[in-house]
Amino acid sequence: MPPQHIAIIMDGNGRWAKERGLPRLKGHERGAANVRPVTEECVAQGVKFLTLYAFSTENWKRPGDEVNGLWILLGHFLELELPTMMKYGIRLRTIGRTHELPEEAQQKLANTIAATAENKALTLILALNYSSRTELADAARRIAEDAKRGALDPATITPDTIGARLYTSEYPDPDLLIRTSGEMRLSNFMLWQLSYSEFYITPKMWPDFGKEDLRAAIVEFHKRDRRFGGI
Ligand code: FPP
């Protein structure tokens, strides 16, 4: 069985560009172009959900030009990739506080989500203006509101109560987390959902991570003995 859900921290676009004497945005451009082959390979391998960490709530700290460039790039990506999404049966979704994104980006996302809503092969989830702590705070607020209006008894709260109020409530937890560029950290990404996921860290920068690298990560995943706390 292939992993049902793969999550990827697409790191190293900036370093990839710097190593070549290029502006950082060129690295992001190559990073965005790299989403297609990796997504195609997920479809080929029978993966059902692919979550990509594209913009964190902390990324607003980057220079304005880089942030604006990323939103423009996202718009281009959505327009360019729609035919591929339709061809392969890819359904686009997002997680994160997307209502805080520039209006144009929100509109393009809404259009693509609507156009691909009936696609069945793979759900491609873009984490945009996402952080796990913000997600958990949003979930806590919803739980408090439900309790306040009498729809929830605090004594009955279980992990499922929380899971049902996360942005990912409709999706299974990732089986496999891939992080490129060799960094050994989670960077506020899916802290709840990755509790029992297998981690695969590769030194390759995201623009250099290809189909064969995804296959290698899946081969490694199959070697892991997943015990979920049992023996
Ligand atoms: C990490 O590299 C990458 C990002 C913060 C942005 C990821 C965005 C893309 C791959 C392009 C847009 C995505 C889509 C889906 C259109 P970094 O800039 O942190 O690299 P560095 O650590 O080497 O500086």
Side-chain angles (χ1 to χ4, degrees):
M1 282 280 283
Q4 194 186 7
H5 185 171
I6 297 180
I8 307 183
I9 302 178
M10 307 181 289
D11 198 11
N13 293 345
R15 274 162 289 165
W16 182 94
K18 195 172 174 203
E19 280 164 10
R20 288 158 180 80
L22 297 170
R24 291 180 57 83
L25 266 171
K26 279 280 163 209
H28 293 314
E29 263 176 50
R30 283 295 293 261
N34 201 37
V35 171
R36 187 195 294 180
V38 171
T39 307
E40 281 175 5
E41 188 59 22
C42 281
V43 174
Q45 297 283 335
V47 174
K48 300 305 287 180
F49 299 88
L50 172 65
T51 300
L52 301 177
Y53 202 5
F55 193 90
S56 80
T57 54
E58 286 77 26
N59 286 151
W60 297 106
K61 289 185 231 161
R62 295 186 176 206
D65 283 357
E66 182 170 343
V67 171
N68 292 337
L70 280 168
W71 299 129
I72 292 168
L73 192 56
L74 175 69
H76 289 164
F77 168 86
L78 294 172
E79 278 162 18
L80 187 69
E81 298 303 332
L82 183 60
T84 315
M85 292 187 210
M86 300 314 288
K87 177 176 165 198
Y88 286 95
I90 295 164
R91 174 174 76 141
L92 187 82
R93 291 295 186 88
T94 61
I95 53 172
R97 292 184 149 200
T98 50
H99 57 278
E100 294 170 354
L101 265 44
E103 195 58 48
E104 200 177 334
Q106 288 190 50
Q107 198 54 55
K108 286 181 175 168
L109 282 165
N111 292 345
T112 315
I113 288 168
T116 61
E118 300 303 322
N119 289 347
K120 299 273 187 279
L122 172 92
T123 301
L124 173 62
I125 304 162
L126 297 182
L128 292 165
N129 196 21
Y130 174 88
S131 85
S132 202
R133 290 180 176 181
T134 306
E135 177 182 40
L136 287 163
D138 284 348
R141 190 176 314 102
R142 291 174 64 188
I143 288 171
E145 282 164 1
D146 287 349
K148 195 173 163 188
R149 66 184 168 84
L152 176 73
D153 173 2
T156 65
I157 292 176
T158 64
D160 286 344
T161 319
I162 297 168
R165 286 161 179 83
L166 298 176
Y167 309 144
T168 51
S169 60
E170 291 174 59
Y171 316 123
D173 288 342
D175 305 289
L176 173 63
L177 170 77
I178 297 172
R179 181 164 189 154
T180 56
S181 92
E183 307 288 357
M184 303 280 183
R185 53 176 174 262
L186 277 178
S187 302
N188 214 345
F189 185 55
M190 300 185 101
L191 305 180
W192 177 277
Q193 297 88 341
L194 294 170
S195 294
Y196 283 101
S197 310
E198 297 299 325
F199 288 11
Y200 181 86
I201 315 280
T202 166
K204 284 207 178 177
M205 302 295 150
W206 171 249
D208 291 329
F209 185 88
K211 290 186 175 192
E212 65 290 354
D213 298 300
L214 186 84
R215 286 195 289 270
I218 293 176
V219 167
E220 171 65 25
F221 169 80
H222 284 301
K223 292 182 190 159
R224 306 278 177 90
D225 177 20
R226 302 186 79 195
R227 292 188 296 277
F228 298 97
I231 53 170

